[in-house]
Amino acid sequence: MTTAGSILGAPRPAAAPAPAPAPTRAQPRRDAPASASPALRLQEAPIAGVWRTGLVAATAWLALGLLTVYWPNLEVGFSDWNFTQEFGFAAIAVAIGLLAVALLGARAGRIGRKLRPAGQWLVAAPLLLALWEALTAKLGVLPPPFFAPPQSLIDVAFEDWSRLGLSTAHSLRLLAHGFVLGALVGFATGVWIGWSRIAGYWVHPLLRFLGPVPASALLPLAFFFAPSSYAAAVFLVGLATFFPVAVLSWSGVASVNKNYYDVARTLGAPEWFLVLRVAVPAALPQVFVGLFMGLGASFSVLVTAEMMGVKAGLGWYLQWAQGWAAYANMYAALLVMAVLCSGLITLLFAVRDRALSWQKGTVKW
């Protein structure tokens, strides 16, 4: 029989331990595994103290500036390279800025956080520029006019900016027309082939047979049948974009999980809903891969078409500079092409991240 004393004398159950406080967002993760990626460890590491890589970068830029200013140029066939002093003083100014950021450390704020990931490139860039400067302007190992020092690009930017800018605008217009046209037609064709069995039977073999043919190989036929050289160039750029976009769109639609369609049909979805709201969103990651491939292919065809028939653009500017032995202008045009292509790829990455933000948890980025 249970008595009150036995109840009072019974041992009490141990109290549950208090839950550990959850770490706040401001606290660094101290339990990160040793095998974590370097990027993760760099992101979690607090920014404090002097930025040593920044000090090395500042020293490298200072050496570039002093080399450019105080080492006389080798005069070969003309008086001197223009903007030599300006280029040297600009390198010294960059060195002073990097030195300030490196010494400020965490107090550099947003500028310091932006520059730290590119620290090694900030060291490598002045070393490469110094080697370029020494081999061309100082020693003449790479003789003019076939090779030009870095300051010659500044000279081109000041002396021929109007022609170079107009050529860049013409190339952008041609690339926009051809790329957009080829991407739209390629996307529609790929979705059609991936969804329709009839299109897959008749169109897919033609795409596999004619698609690998380089667009530049059709250059003579395009300029013969097109009403103008600009229309021929737009067709070639669009054709270079069409094939990768069509193939990747078809592959994306064909590889969609069939259970998605079954669930949508069970809920009463019509045919157009299956295509536009199920197949196309699921295939978008591969579609963007095709867009990236098409952008690179269209850019190469763009330059070829401008060099062969179009009387404007960066390709035409390259041919014009080569004809006049203005190799500094040619190098400036190549630099503009690299910056333009890199900028367009970065823009396409931003569009992809925005369009596929809802798939971040399921798609490997």
Side-chain angles (χ1 to χ4, degrees), residues 252-253 255-257 260-261 277-286 358-359:
V253 172
S255 61
V256 174
N257 194 339
Y260 297 163
Y261 300 133
R277 303 299 298 272
V278 179
V280 170
L284 278 182
Q286 298 194 47
W358 58 277
Q359 290 189 351

Side-chain angles (χ1 to χ4, degrees), residues 285-362:
Q286 298 194 47
V287 172
F288 274 98
V289 174
L291 290 174
F292 283 113
M293 297 174 61
L295 181 60
S298 63
F299 204 86
S300 61
V301 174
L302 164 75
V303 176
T304 304
E306 289 178 340
M307 293 180 70
M308 297 298 294
V310 179
K311 301 302 181 183
L314 291 173
W316 170 86
Y317 188 90
L318 274 176
Q319 192 176 28
W320 169 83
Q322 186 177 5
W324 286 96
Y327 292 97
N329 297 67
M330 186 180 69
Y331 296 142
L334 291 175
L335 179 61
V336 171
M337 287 181 184
V339 173
L340 182 62
C341 188
S342 176
L344 291 176
I345 291 176
T346 304
L347 178 62
L348 191 56
F349 266 112
V351 173
R352 185 204 65 172
D353 294 343
R354 183 66 180 270
L356 301 182
S357 59
W358 58 277
Q359 290 189 351
K360 273 189 177 181
T362 58

Side-chain angles (χ1 to χ4, degrees), residues 88-159:
F89 289 134
I92 295 175
V94 173
I96 295 174
L98 288 175
L99 179 62
V101 173
L103 294 178
L104 287 174
R107 291 174 295 176
R110 185 176 181 182
I111 298 178
R113 291 193 298 269
K114 292 290 185 180
L115 290 179
R116 281 176 180 259
Q120 296 181 2
W121 277 107
L122 292 174
V123 176
L127 297 179
L128 294 175
L129 289 174
L131 180 63
W132 182 7
E133 177 74 18
L135 293 178
T136 52
K138 308 304 181 182
L139 298 176
V141 176
L142 301 177
F146 303 102
F147 299 95
Q151 57 265 30
S152 65
L153 302 181
I154 305 177
D155 191 10
V156 173
F158 273 85
E159 298 295 335

